[in-house]
Amino acid sequence: MTDDFDGVDDVARAFAENGYITDRRLATTTFVMSRLDKPLLLEGPAGVGKTELAKTLAAATGRRLLRLQCYEGQDETKALYEWDYGKQLLYTQILREKTAELLADTTTMAGAVERVAEQDSAFFSDRFLAARPLLEAVRSPEPVVLLVDEVDRADEALEAVLLEMLAEYQVSVPEIGTFVAEHPPYVILTSNNTRDLSAALKRRCLHLFLEYPDAERELEILRSKGTGLDDVAAQKLVQIVRGLRGLDLRKSPSISETIDWARTLAVLGVTELEAEVLADTVSVVAKYERDVERSRAALPRLVDPNAVVPDHLHGHGYDHGHPHSHGGHDHGHGQDDDGGKARRAAKDTPGRHDDEYYGQRASGSGSDKAGGAREIPAAPRGVTSSQGARSFPGNRGAARRRPV
């Protein structure tokens, strides 16, 4: 089979023609993977283009894409193969008369069982084997791209199932034998780092950590997608999104969400980015309520660092980087007024509560060192024997008995 790429530059060119803008490091790793026939493990946050790389690789090479979407609790039957029991049962019903003829000359149960066992291969054969993505990639008569997506979400048991396939490009079926790939597939595994992957799996793969692209490359990606947004506005949008990623958000805006935001603004006919229209549409990139609020609070200064933040764009409880006060009460931003200070000073004045504020009366007054009167708390009240007996029901009998 001829090589799919002539070099690193050819990878970058082929990917760009299919709408995927690579950097030098990513193009180099993809080229090495194609020449060494090694699986490639891509790790990084969601939305940086890991899954899209596998799709683009299939499009650029003309290979069929097979995808195994991993999830918690997934077993090998969904990844490797399973037997088509419904089909086996149907054939059994159809061949009932033939089965009766087969067992007609047997006289014992052991003989009948032995006769049926001789026909095992008829029902556990390739005819009844339902191939899943891993086995299908190995058995494919044409070269394919196999995407094992979000492998970190699967259980560790599934990782063990993957090892044979990743190391040898083969799958063993005990009832039939071992299938070996005629054309080694390009294998891309992706992980969002929700858990650590085993050393055995990583050892079998080339590895690349994908981060969010720099501003220049992200702008180039935005241009390649034909969002319809003006180029000047697109440049500004990229800077704003990068600013949002710097906030303490539960989920940072992904590249695909940036593209969606650009298309949204283009549909609305926006040519100049303003805080108000961005605040109205920020839910395209912020998918949690807290993230939306924090993003709306930050947008005015991301659009214009010197802008005055309208009250309706920020909520209390978030730091906006500037002090402010409302109605004479402090919000924790370092600014106060004289009225607030006077009220707090009044709260510290001795004697502003009555004698019963702490649940007891003052028994009298004395003099402090300054000669002023001060309250002397009353001595604790004693507890009578009858009150003690009521407090401890178990001792009631003892309380009634008189000494002899």
Side-chain angles (χ1 to χ4, degrees), residues 136-159:
E136 190 174 353
V138 167
R139 295 204 314 168
S140 175
E142 300 294 333
V144 299
V145 173
L146 173 64
L147 169 61
V148 183
D149 210 12
E150 297 184 327
V151 66
D152 55 318
R153 295 189 181 277
D155 299 331
E156 293 182 0
L158 186 61
E159 282 190 47

mmCIF file with all atom_site columns, all heavy atoms in Angstrom, residues 136-159:
data_model
loop_
_atom_site.group_PDB
_atom_site.id
_atom_site.type_symbol
_atom_site.label_atom_id
_atom_site.label_alt_id
_atom_site.label_comp_id
_atom_site.label_asym_id
_atom_site.label_entity_id
_atom_site.label_seq_id
_atom_site.pdbx_PDB_ins_code
_atom_site.Cartn_x
_atom_site.Cartn_y
_atom_site.Cartn_z
_atom_site.occupancy
_atom_site.B_iso_or_equiv
_atom_site.pdbx_formal_charge
_atom_site.auth_seq_id
_atom_site.auth_comp_id
_atom_site.auth_asym_id
_atom_site.auth_atom_id
_atom_site.pdbx_PDB_model_num
ATOM 1   N N   . GLU A 1 136 ? -14.103 -5.217  13.640 1.00 0.00 ? 136 GLU A N   1
ATOM 2   C CA  . GLU A 1 136 ? -14.385 -4.764  12.276 1.00 0.00 ? 136 GLU A CA  1
ATOM 3   C C   . GLU A 1 136 ? -13.180 -4.054  11.672 1.00 0.00 ? 136 GLU A C   1
ATOM 4   O O   . GLU A 1 136 ? -12.898 -4.197  10.473 1.00 0.00 ? 136 GLU A O   1
ATOM 5   C CB  . GLU A 1 136 ? -15.599 -3.838  12.283 1.00 0.00 ? 136 GLU A CB  1
ATOM 6   C CG  . GLU A 1 136 ? -16.120 -3.495  10.891 1.00 0.00 ? 136 GLU A CG  1
ATOM 7   C CD  . GLU A 1 136 ? -17.408 -2.703  10.928 1.00 0.00 ? 136 GLU A CD  1
ATOM 8   O OE1 . GLU A 1 136 ? -17.973 -2.531  12.033 1.00 0.00 ? 136 GLU A OE1 1
ATOM 9   O OE2 . GLU A 1 136 ? -17.841 -2.260  9.852  1.00 0.00 ? 136 GLU A OE2 1
ATOM 10  N N   . ALA A 1 137 ? -12.446 -3.287  12.487 1.00 0.00 ? 137 ALA A N   1
ATOM 11  C CA  . ALA A 1 137 ? -11.244 -2.605  11.989 1.00 0.00 ? 137 ALA A CA  1
ATOM 12  C C   . ALA A 1 137 ? -10.170 -3.599  11.574 1.00 0.00 ? 137 ALA A C   1
ATOM 13  O O   . ALA A 1 137 ? -9.441  -3.382  10.602 1.00 0.00 ? 137 ALA A O   1
ATOM 14  C CB  . ALA A 1 137 ? -10.701 -1.666  13.073 1.00 0.00 ? 137 ALA A CB  1
ATOM 15  N N   . VAL A 1 138 ? -10.078 -4.710  12.314 1.00 0.00 ? 138 VAL A N   1
ATOM 16  C CA  . VAL A 1 138 ? -9.076  -5.726  11.998 1.00 0.00 ? 138 VAL A CA  1
ATOM 17  C C   . VAL A 1 138 ? -9.478  -6.529  10.765 1.00 0.00 ? 138 VAL A C   1
ATOM 18  O O   . VAL A 1 138 ? -8.646  -6.861  9.919  1.00 0.00 ? 138 VAL A O   1
ATOM 19  C CB  . VAL A 1 138 ? -8.885  -6.658  13.219 1.00 0.00 ? 138 VAL A CB  1
ATOM 20  C CG1 . VAL A 1 138 ? -8.093  -7.905  12.840 1.00 0.00 ? 138 VAL A CG1 1
ATOM 21  C CG2 . VAL A 1 138 ? -8.183  -5.905  14.343 1.00 0.00 ? 138 VAL A CG2 1
ATOM 22  N N   . ARG A 1 139 ? -10.761 -6.842  10.638 1.00 0.00 ? 139 ARG A N   1
ATOM 23  C CA  . ARG A 1 139 ? -11.204 -7.696  9.534  1.00 0.00 ? 139 ARG A CA  1
ATOM 24  C C   . ARG A 1 139 ? -11.476 -6.932  8.238  1.00 0.00 ? 139 ARG A C   1
ATOM 25  O O   . ARG A 1 139 ? -11.698 -7.550  7.200  1.00 0.00 ? 139 ARG A O   1
ATOM 26  C CB  . ARG A 1 139 ? -12.495 -8.419  9.932  1.00 0.00 ? 139 ARG A CB  1
ATOM 27  C CG  . ARG A 1 139 ? -12.336 -9.388  11.078 1.00 0.00 ? 139 ARG A CG  1
ATOM 28  C CD  . ARG A 1 139 ? -13.394 -10.462 11.062 1.00 0.00 ? 139 ARG A CD  1
ATOM 29  N NE  . ARG A 1 139 ? -14.737 -9.954  10.825 1.00 0.00 ? 139 ARG A NE  1
ATOM 30  C CZ  . ARG A 1 139 ? -15.788 -10.715 10.551 1.00 0.00 ? 139 ARG A CZ  1
ATOM 31  N NH1 . ARG A 1 139 ? -15.645 -12.022 10.452 1.00 0.00 ? 139 ARG A NH1 1
ATOM 32  N NH2 . ARG A 1 139 ? -16.979 -10.176 10.358 1.00 0.00 ? 139 ARG A NH2 1
ATOM 33  N N   . SER A 1 140 ? -11.465 -5.616  8.286  1.00 0.00 ? 140 SER A N   1
ATOM 34  C CA  . SER A 1 140 ? -11.818 -4.838  7.097  1.00 0.00 ? 140 SER A CA  1
ATOM 35  C C   . SER A 1 140 ? -10.875 -5.136  5.930  1.00 0.00 ? 140 SER A C   1
ATOM 36  O O   . SER A 1 140 ? -9.648  -5.121  6.091  1.00 0.00 ? 140 SER A O   1
ATOM 37  C CB  . SER A 1 140 ? -11.760 -3.336  7.424  1.00 0.00 ? 140 SER A CB  1
ATOM 38  O OG  . SER A 1 140 ? -11.978 -2.569  6.253  1.00 0.00 ? 140 SER A OG  1
ATOM 39  N N   . PRO A 1 141 ? -11.432 -5.403  4.753  1.00 0.00 ? 141 PRO A N   1
ATOM 40  C CA  . PRO A 1 141 ? -10.580 -5.659  3.580  1.00 0.00 ? 141 PRO A CA  1
ATOM 41  C C   . PRO A 1 141 ? -9.903  -4.389  3.073  1.00 0.00 ? 141 PRO A C   1
ATOM 42  O O   . PRO A 1 141 ? -8.949  -4.465  2.305  1.00 0.00 ? 141 PRO A O   1
ATOM 43  C CB  . PRO A 1 141 ? -11.566 -6.216  2.543  1.00 0.00 ? 141 PRO A CB  1
ATOM 44  C CG  . PRO A 1 141 ? -12.890 -5.647  2.946  1.00 0.00 ? 141 PRO A CG  1
ATOM 45  C CD  . PRO A 1 141 ? -12.861 -5.543  4.440  1.00 0.00 ? 141 PRO A CD  1
ATOM 46  N N   . GLU A 1 142 ? -10.391 -3.223  3.499  1.00 0.00 ? 142 GLU A N   1
ATOM 47  C CA  . GLU A 1 142 ? -9.808  -1.947  3.113  1.00 0.00 ? 142 GLU A CA  1
ATOM 48  C C   . GLU A 1 142 ? -9.270  -1.244  4.355  1.00 0.00 ? 142 GLU A C   1
ATOM 49  O O   . GLU A 1 142 ? -9.779  -1.433  5.455  1.00 0.00 ? 142 GLU A O   1
ATOM 50  C CB  . GLU A 1 142 ? -10.853 -1.055  2.421  1.00 0.00 ? 142 GLU A CB  1
ATOM 51  C CG  . GLU A 1 142 ? -11.454 -1.652  1.162  1.00 0.00 ? 142 GLU A CG  1
ATOM 52  C CD  . GLU A 1 142 ? -10.416 -1.786  0.050  1.00 0.00 ? 142 GLU A CD  1
ATOM 53  O OE1 . GLU A 1 142 ? -9.444  -0.989  0.054  1.00 0.00 ? 142 GLU A OE1 1
ATOM 54  O OE2 . GLU A 1 142 ? -10.578 -2.676  -0.793 1.00 0.00 ? 142 GLU A OE2 1
ATOM 55  N N   . PRO A 1 143 ? -8.235  -0.426  4.209  1.00 0.00 ? 143 PRO A N   1
ATOM 56  C CA  . PRO A 1 143 ? -7.698  0.294   5.364  1.00 0.00 ? 143 PRO A CA  1
ATOM 57  C C   . PRO A 1 143 ? -8.725  1.270   5.939  1.00 0.00 ? 143 PRO A C   1
ATOM 58  O O   . PRO A 1 143 ? -9.489  1.893   5.201  1.00 0.00 ? 143 PRO A O   1
ATOM 59  C CB  . PRO A 1 143 ? -6.472  1.032   4.802  1.00 0.00 ? 143 PRO A CB  1
ATOM 60  C CG  . PRO A 1 143 ? -6.692  1.097   3.329  1.00 0.00 ? 143 PRO A CG  1
ATOM 61  C CD  . PRO A 1 143 ? -7.482  -0.119  2.962  1.00 0.00 ? 143 PRO A CD  1
ATOM 62  N N   . VAL A 1 144 ? -8.742  1.386   7.263  1.00 0.00 ? 144 VAL A N   1
ATOM 63  C CA  . VAL A 1 144 ? -9.723  2.229   7.940  1.00 0.00 ? 144 VAL A CA  1
ATOM 64  C C   . VAL A 1 144 ? -9.025  3.097   8.983  1.00 0.00 ? 144 VAL A C   1
ATOM 65  O O   . VAL A 1 144 ? -7.847  2.897   9.309  1.00 0.00 ? 144 VAL A O   1
ATOM 66  C CB  . VAL A 1 144 ? -10.810 1.375   8.635  1.00 0.00 ? 144 VAL A CB  1
ATOM 67  C CG1 . VAL A 1 144 ? -11.573 0.541   7.626  1.00 0.00 ? 144 VAL A CG1 1
ATOM 68  C CG2 . VAL A 1 144 ? -10.197 0.506   9.723  1.00 0.00 ? 144 VAL A CG2 1
ATOM 69  N N   . VAL A 1 145 ? -9.771  4.072   9.504  1.00 0.00 ? 145 VAL A N   1
ATOM 70  C CA  . VAL A 1 145 ? -9.354  4.849   10.672 1.00 0.00 ? 145 VAL A CA  1
ATOM 71  C C   . VAL A 1 145 ? -10.271 4.432   11.816 1.00 0.00 ? 145 VAL A C   1
ATOM 72  O O   . VAL A 1 145 ? -11.497 4.507   11.700 1.00 0.00 ? 145 VAL A O   1
ATOM 73  C CB  . VAL A 1 145 ? -9.471  6.367   10.424 1.00 0.00 ? 145 VAL A CB  1
ATOM 74  C CG1 . VAL A 1 145 ? -9.195  7.142   11.722 1.00 0.00 ? 145 VAL A CG1 1
ATOM 75  C CG2 . VAL A 1 145 ? -8.510  6.805   9.332  1.00 0.00 ? 145 VAL A CG2 1
ATOM 76  N N   . LEU A 1 146 ? -9.680  3.978   12.916 1.00 0.00 ? 146 LEU A N   1
ATOM 77  C CA  . LEU A 1 146 ? -10.444 3.570   14.097 1.00 0.00 ? 146 LEU A CA  1
ATOM 78  C C   . LEU A 1 146 ? -10.319 4.654   15.162 1.00 0.00 ? 146 LEU A C   1
ATOM 79  O O   . LEU A 1 146 ? -9.212  4.985   15.609 1.00 0.00 ? 146 LEU A O   1
ATOM 80  C CB  . LEU A 1 146 ? -9.928  2.241   14.642 1.00 0.00 ? 146 LEU A CB  1
ATOM 81  C CG  . LEU A 1 146 ? -10.534 1.794   15.982 1.00 0.00 ? 146 LEU A CG  1
ATOM 82  C CD1 . LEU A 1 146 ? -12.030 1.539   15.837 1.00 0.00 ? 146 LEU A CD1 1
ATOM 83  C CD2 . LEU A 1 146 ? -9.820  0.539   16.507 1.00 0.00 ? 146 LEU A CD2 1
ATOM 84  N N   . LEU A 1 147 ? -11.448 5.217   15.571 1.00 0.00 ? 147 LEU A N   1
ATOM 85  C CA  . LEU A 1 147 ? -11.484 6.227   16.622 1.00 0.00 ? 147 LEU A CA  1
ATOM 86  C C   . LEU A 1 147 ? -12.042 5.599   17.898 1.00 0.00 ? 147 LEU A C   1
ATOM 87  O O   . LEU A 1 147 ? -13.191 5.163   17.931 1.00 0.00 ? 147 LEU A O   1
ATOM 88  C CB  . LEU A 1 147 ? -12.365 7.405   16.196 1.00 0.00 ? 147 LEU A CB  1
ATOM 89  C CG  . LEU A 1 147 ? -12.716 8.430   17.279 1.00 0.00 ? 147 LEU A CG  1
ATOM 90  C CD1 . LEU A 1 147 ? -11.464 9.097   17.848 1.00 0.00 ? 147 LEU A CD1 1
ATOM 91  C CD2 . LEU A 1 147 ? -13.687 9.480   16.730 1.00 0.00 ? 147 LEU A CD2 1
ATOM 92  N N   . VAL A 1 148 ? -11.207 5.531   18.936 1.00 0.00 ? 148 VAL A N   1
ATOM 93  C CA  . VAL A 1 148 ? -11.648 5.082   20.257 1.00 0.00 ? 148 VAL A CA  1
ATOM 94  C C   . VAL A 1 148 ? -11.823 6.353   21.081 1.00 0.00 ? 148 VAL A C   1
ATOM 95  O O   . VAL A 1 148 ? -10.864 6.891   21.627 1.00 0.00 ? 148 VAL A O   1
ATOM 96  C CB  . VAL A 1 148 ? -10.631 4.124   20.906 1.00 0.00 ? 148 VAL A CB  1
ATOM 97  C CG1 . VAL A 1 148 ? -11.156 3.617   22.254 1.00 0.00 ? 148 VAL A CG1 1
ATOM 98  C CG2 . VAL A 1 148 ? -10.334 2.950   19.977 1.00 0.00 ? 148 VAL A CG2 1
ATOM 99  N N   . ASP A 1 149 ? -13.056 6.844   21.138 1.00 0.00 ? 149 ASP A N   1
ATOM 100 C CA  . ASP A 1 149 ? -13.318 8.178   21.673 1.00 0.00 ? 149 ASP A CA  1
ATOM 101 C C   . ASP A 1 149 ? -13.604 8.139   23.177 1.00 0.00 ? 149 ASP A C   1
ATOM 102 O O   . ASP A 1 149 ? -14.394 7.320   23.651 1.00 0.00 ? 149 ASP A O   1
ATOM 103 C CB  . ASP A 1 149 ? -14.523 8.786   20.940 1.00 0.00 ? 149 ASP A CB  1
ATOM 104 C CG  . ASP A 1 149 ? -14.442 10.298  20.860 1.00 0.00 ? 149 ASP A CG  1
ATOM 105 O OD1 . ASP A 1 149 ? -13.382 10.870  21.163 1.00 0.00 ? 149 ASP A OD1 1
ATOM 106 O OD2 . ASP A 1 149 ? -15.454 10.924  20.491 1.00 0.00 ? 149 ASP A OD2 1
ATOM 107 N N   . GLU A 1 150 ? -12.958 9.065   23.909 1.00 0.00 ? 150 GLU A N   1
ATOM 108 C CA  . GLU A 1 150 ? -13.130 9.220   25.359 1.00 0.00 ? 150 GLU A CA  1
ATOM 109 C C   . GLU A 1 150 ? -12.867 7.904   26.086 1.00 0.00 ? 150 GLU A C   1
ATOM 110 O O   . GLU A 1 150 ? -13.669 7.433   26.894 1.00 0.00 ? 150 GLU A O   1
ATOM 111 C CB  . GLU A 1 150 ? -14.529 9.749   25.684 1.00 0.00 ? 150 GLU A CB  1
ATOM 112 C CG  . GLU A 1 150 ? -14.777 11.141  25.103 1.00 0.00 ? 150 GLU A CG  1
ATOM 113 C CD  . GLU A 1 150 ? -16.127 11.712  25.507 1.00 0.00 ? 150 GLU A CD  1
ATOM 114 O OE1 . GLU A 1 150 ? -17.087 10.934  25.665 1.00 0.00 ? 150 GLU A OE1 1
ATOM 115 O OE2 . GLU A 1 150 ? -16.211 12.944  25.667 1.00 0.00 ? 150 GLU A OE2 1
ATOM 116 N N   . VAL A 1 151 ? -11.696 7.331   25.833 1.00 0.00 ? 151 VAL A N   1
ATOM 117 C CA  . VAL A 1 151 ? -11.341 6.050   26.444 1.00 0.00 ? 151 VAL A CA  1
ATOM 118 C C   . VAL A 1 151 ? -11.244 6.174   27.959 1.00 0.00 ? 151 VAL A C   1
ATOM 119 O O   . VAL A 1 151 ? -11.388 5.180   28.683 1.00 0.00 ? 151 VAL A O   1
ATOM 120 C CB  . VAL A 1 151 ? -10.010 5.531   25.842 1.00 0.00 ? 151 VAL A CB  1
ATOM 121 C CG1 . VAL A 1 151 ? -8.849  6.444   26.224 1.00 0.00 ? 151 VAL A CG1 1
ATOM 122 C CG2 . VAL A 1 151 ? -9.731  4.106   26.271 1.00 0.00 ? 151 VAL A CG2 1
ATOM 123 N N   . ASP A 1 152 ? -11.035 7.362   28.474 1.00 0.00 ? 152 ASP A N   1
ATOM 124 C CA  . ASP A 1 152 ? -10.944 7.557   29.923 1.00 0.00 ? 152 ASP A CA  1
ATOM 125 C C   . ASP A 1 152 ? -12.282 7.356   30.616 1.00 0.00 ? 152 ASP A C   1
ATOM 126 O O   . ASP A 1 152 ? -12.329 7.189   31.843 1.00 0.00 ? 152 ASP A O   1
ATOM 127 C CB  . ASP A 1 152 ? -10.395 8.943   30.247 1.00 0.00 ? 152 ASP A CB  1
ATOM 128 C CG  . ASP A 1 152 ? -11.185 10.060  29.592 1.00 0.00 ? 152 ASP A CG  1
ATOM 129 O OD1 . ASP A 1 152 ? -11.556 9.906   28.413 1.00 0.00 ? 152 ASP A OD1 1
ATOM 130 O OD2 . ASP A 1 152 ? -11.436 11.094  30.237 1.00 0.00 ? 152 ASP A OD2 1
ATOM 131 N N   . ARG A 1 153 ? -13.380 7.378   29.883 1.00 0.00 ? 153 ARG A N   1
ATOM 132 C CA  . ARG A 1 153 ? -14.699 7.157   30.486 1.00 0.00 ? 153 ARG A CA  1
ATOM 133 C C   . ARG A 1 153 ? -15.012 5.662   30.647 1.00 0.00 ? 153 ARG A C   1
ATOM 134 O O   . ARG A 1 153 ? -15.934 5.303   31.386 1.00 0.00 ? 153 ARG A O   1
ATOM 135 C CB  . ARG A 1 153 ? -15.792 7.822   29.641 1.00 0.00 ? 153 ARG A CB  1
ATOM 136 C CG  . ARG A 1 153 ? -15.673 9.333   29.597 1.00 0.00 ? 153 ARG A CG  1
ATOM 137 C CD  . ARG A 1 153 ? -16.886 9.960   28.943 1.00 0.00 ? 153 ARG A CD  1
ATOM 138 N NE  . ARG A 1 153 ? -16.758 11.402  28.883 1.00 0.00 ? 153 ARG A NE  1
ATOM 139 C CZ  . ARG A 1 153 ? -17.049 12.227  29.888 1.00 0.00 ? 153 ARG A CZ  1
ATOM 140 N NH1 . ARG A 1 153 ? -17.476 11.736  31.036 1.00 0.00 ? 153 ARG A NH1 1
ATOM 141 N NH2 . ARG A 1 153 ? -16.901 13.531  29.754 1.00 0.00 ? 153 ARG A NH2 1
ATOM 142 N N   . ALA A 1 154 ? -14.289 4.817   29.960 1.00 0.00 ? 154 ALA A N   1
ATOM 143 C CA  . ALA A 1 154 ? -14.521 3.375   30.057 1.00 0.00 ? 154 ALA A CA  1
ATOM 144 C C   . ALA A 1 154 ? -13.848 2.825   31.309 1.00 0.00 ? 154 ALA A C   1
ATOM 145 O O   . ALA A 1 154 ? -12.963 3.457   31.894 1.00 0.00 ? 154 ALA A O   1
ATOM 146 C CB  . ALA A 1 154 ? -13.988 2.674   28.813 1.00 0.00 ? 154 ALA A CB  1
ATOM 147 N N   . ASP A 1 155 ? -14.274 1.642   31.729 1.00 0.00 ? 155 ASP A N   1
ATOM 148 C CA  . ASP A 1 155 ? -13.655 0.983   32.879 1.00 0.00 ? 155 ASP A CA  1
ATOM 149 C C   . ASP A 1 155 ? -12.277 0.445   32.499 1.00 0.00 ? 155 ASP A C   1
ATOM 150 O O   . ASP A 1 155 ? -11.979 0.229   31.318 1.00 0.00 ? 155 ASP A O   1
ATOM 151 C CB  . ASP A 1 155 ? -14.543 -0.159  33.374 1.00 0.00 ? 155 ASP A CB  1
ATOM 152 C CG  . ASP A 1 155 ? -15.907 0.343   33.829 1.00 0.00 ? 155 ASP A CG  1
ATOM 153 O OD1 . ASP A 1 155 ? -15.989 1.505   34.280 1.00 0.00 ? 155 ASP A OD1 1
ATOM 154 O OD2 . ASP A 1 155 ? -16.889 -0.423  33.722 1.00 0.00 ? 155 ASP A OD2 1
ATOM 155 N N   . GLU A 1 156 ? -11.470 0.171   33.523 1.00 0.00 ? 156 GLU A N   1
ATOM 156 C CA  . GLU A 1 156 ? -10.126 -0.337  33.253 1.00 0.00 ? 156 GLU A CA  1
ATOM 157 C C   . GLU A 1 156 ? -10.164 -1.697  32.576 1.00 0.00 ? 156 GLU A C   1
ATOM 158 O O   . GLU A 1 156 ? -9.227  -2.061  31.859 1.00 0.00 ? 156 GLU A O   1
ATOM 159 C CB  . GLU A 1 156 ? -9.338  -0.415  34.565 1.00 0.00 ? 156 GLU A CB  1
ATOM 160 C CG  . GLU A 1 156 ? -9.042  0.959   35.176 1.00 0.00 ? 156 GLU A CG  1
ATOM 161 C CD  . GLU A 1 156 ? -8.231  0.868   36.446 1.00 0.00 ? 156 GLU A CD  1
ATOM 162 O OE1 . GLU A 1 156 ? -7.899  -0.278  36.841 1.00 0.00 ? 156 GLU A OE1 1
ATOM 163 O OE2 . GLU A 1 156 ? -7.917  1.914   37.041 1.00 0.00 ? 156 GLU A OE2 1
ATOM 164 N N   . ALA A 1 157 ? -11.233 -2.458  32.778 1.00 0.00 ? 157 ALA A N   1
ATOM 165 C CA  . ALA A 1 157 ? -11.347 -3.769  32.134 1.00 0.00 ? 157 ALA A CA  1
ATOM 166 C C   . ALA A 1 157 ? -11.351 -3.635  30.617 1.00 0.00 ? 157 ALA A C   1
ATOM 167 O O   . ALA A 1 157 ? -10.784 -4.479  29.904 1.00 0.00 ? 157 ALA A O   1
ATOM 168 C CB  . ALA A 1 157 ? -12.607 -4.475  32.610 1.00 0.00 ? 157 ALA A CB  1
ATOM 169 N N   . LEU A 1 158 ? -11.973 -2.568  30.101 1.00 0.00 ? 158 LEU A N   1
ATOM 170 C CA  . LEU A 1 158 ? -11.993 -2.380  28.653 1.00 0.00 ? 158 LEU A CA  1
ATOM 171 C C   . LEU A 1 158 ? -10.608 -2.002  28.137 1.00 0.00 ? 158 LEU A C   1
ATOM 172 O O   . LEU A 1 158 ? -10.248 -2.355  27.007 1.00 0.00 ? 158 LEU A O   1
ATOM 173 C CB  . LEU A 1 158 ? -13.011 -1.306  28.273 1.00 0.00 ? 158 LEU A CB  1
ATOM 174 C CG  . LEU A 1 158 ? -13.222 -1.107  26.769 1.00 0.00 ? 158 LEU A CG  1
ATOM 175 C CD1 . LEU A 1 158 ? -13.743 -2.387  26.127 1.00 0.00 ? 158 LEU A CD1 1
ATOM 176 C CD2 . LEU A 1 158 ? -14.188 0.036   26.496 1.00 0.00 ? 158 LEU A CD2 1
ATOM 177 N N   . GLU A 1 159 ? -9.839  -1.287  28.949 1.00 0.00 ? 159 GLU A N   1
ATOM 178 C CA  . GLU A 1 159 ? -8.456  -0.985  28.555 1.00 0.00 ? 159 GLU A CA  1
ATOM 179 C C   . GLU A 1 159 ? -7.692  -2.278  28.292 1.00 0.00 ? 159 GLU A C   1
ATOM 180 O O   . GLU A 1 159 ? -6.931  -2.381  27.324 1.00 0.00 ? 159 GLU A O   1
ATOM 181 C CB  . GLU A 1 159 ? -7.748  -0.192  29.645 1.00 0.00 ? 159 GLU A CB  1
ATOM 182 C CG  . GLU A 1 159 ? -8.103  1.280   29.694 1.00 0.00 ? 159 GLU A CG  1
ATOM 183 C CD  . GLU A 1 159 ? -7.187  2.032   30.633 1.00 0.00 ? 159 GLU A CD  1
ATOM 184 O OE1 . GLU A 1 159 ? -5.961  1.839   30.558 1.00 0.00 ? 159 GLU A OE1 1
ATOM 185 O OE2 . GLU A 1 159 ? -7.700  2.801   31.467 1.00 0.00 ? 159 GLU A OE2 1
#
